[in-house]
Amino acid sequence: MINPNNNVILNYKIDEKDISFEIYISPKQECCIVGRLDNNYICWCSITTIVERKTNTEIFNNVLNPNQKMISSMSKVLGTRYREVMSWHMLRINKRIYKNEYHYYSPASGAFFVNNENNFGDNFSSEVSTFYNLELSKCEYRLIDNNYIIILEKYKTLLTKKSDYKYYYEMIPIISILNNESYIKLCPNEGIRNLYLDCIKECSNLYNRYMSVAR
């Protein structure tokens, strides 16, 4: 999806930066694969589905091709779909030290991968499927009854109780809990999913309010 129309000219060098992967997955199994260079720029963005295994394998292999790529930002590339994709559940695959060398690590299975292996892209595609199935099962167990809906409603009430910027500190435990339960973004029940996203939005509002004063 990066093309000459959204390509950007950088004002600093990123030639030696390692590519990390952010894979955003929707409740409908859409799959947005992002090759990230740093907090500002990306070198790849595409939207497929989890079941398009062969295509996803080719994408992962292509992202790590050393040929020169165009650079952009997620908001420029995704345009009107940016906020939608940001509400999807995300798997991050990046490099970590393993046996004194940097290798790609996936938290889905806890595996390390070497990018010169022939089945590198296929391994990544498999990790996406593993991640989706595992996180969806967490969601299903978390919603085994209606108790969690009641909890979310109480969280939302608490998060909007005060407008004082210092209230952010008081809400940090709830913010942490909600961030750890982001698999709810895969919930097939739109009402529950939106309630969770409302809570996340209020967490962001609290943080932004605090930071606007702290700066």
Side-chain angles (χ1 to χ4, degrees):
M1 295 171 69
I2 302 179
N3 57 57
N5 293 326
N6 55 42
N7 185 41
V8 298
I9 305 300
L10 307 185
N11 55 13
Y12 59 89
K13 293 188 67 173
I14 57 174
D15 298 346
E16 298 180 359
K17 289 184 178 289
D18 286 322
I19 296 172
S20 62
F21 291 92
E22 293 175 354
I23 301 100
Y24 296 84
I25 303 173
S26 80
K28 296 180 180 180
Q29 299 189 42
E30 286 181 279
C31 180
C32 179
I33 299 174
V34 175
R36 180 165 292 284
L37 295 168
D38 62 13
N39 290 334
N40 299 314
Y41 298 115
I42 63 174
C43 62
W44 183 273
C45 182
S46 59
I47 296 181
T48 56
T49 62
I50 294 176
V51 297
E52 294 177 81
R53 180 72 173 267
K54 183 178 179 181
T55 300
N56 291 337
T57 295
E58 292 174 354
I59 286 172
F60 284 119
N61 286 330
N62 184 67
V63 175
L64 292 175
N65 189 311
N67 293 334
Q68 182 66 34
K69 296 180 174 66
M70 288 184 285
I71 308 298
S72 191
S73 66
M74 282 192 68
S75 58
K76 285 180 70 70
V77 173
L78 290 171
T80 57
R81 295 200 73 182
Y82 177 73
R83 289 185 180 276
E84 176 194 354
V85 173
M86 289 298 96
S87 72
W88 297 355
H89 196 27
M90 194 257 285
L91 166 65
R92 177 178 285 109
I93 299 177
N94 54 16
K95 283 191 172 182
R96 298 186 183 184
I97 286 285
Y98 177 68
K99 293 184 178 180
N100 298 319
E101 293 183 346
Y102 279 99
H103 297 294
Y104 281 100
Y105 170 79
S106 169
S109 65
F112 286 88
F113 304 99
V114 181
N115 65 336
N116 59 5
E117 293 176 344
N118 292 330
N119 59 347
F120 179 77
D122 189 54
N123 285 335
F124 272 27
S125 293
S126 178
E127 288 299 300
V128 173
S129 297
T130 298
F131 176 77
Y132 173 78
N133 291 328
L134 176 62
E135 298 296 280
L136 184 61
S137 66
K138 287 182 186 178
C139 181
E140 290 170 347
Y141 283 118
R142 192 69 178 91
L143 300 172
I144 203 166
D145 54 34
N146 290 326
N147 289 335
Y148 189 63
I149 303 172
I150 297 171
I151 291 172
L152 282 177
E153 290 171 343
K154 290 182 177 179
Y155 282 167
K156 185 176 179 180
T157 299
L158 283 170
L159 289 165
T160 56
K161 188 176 180 180
K162 299 178 184 178
S163 59
D164 184 353
Y165 77 95
K166 295 179 181 179
Y167 191 53
Y168 167 72
Y169 278 111
E170 193 174 335
M171 291 293 98
I172 284 177
I174 291 179
I175 294 171
S176 178
I177 291 171
L178 287 165
N179 287 336
N180 288 333
E181 296 182 339
S182 60
Y183 50 82
I184 301 297
K185 293 177 180 179
L186 295 176
C187 179
N189 185 311
E190 185 177 5
I192 296 173
R193 192 171 67 247
N194 286 340
L195 179 56
Y196 173 82
L197 291 172
D198 284 346
C199 289
I200 292 296
K201 181 180 179 180
E202 295 305 330
C203 292
S204 179
N205 289 340
L206 282 172
Y207 176 76
N208 291 336
R209 195 178 301 134
Y210 167 76
M211 288 303 296
S212 65
V213 175
R215 291 192 185 100

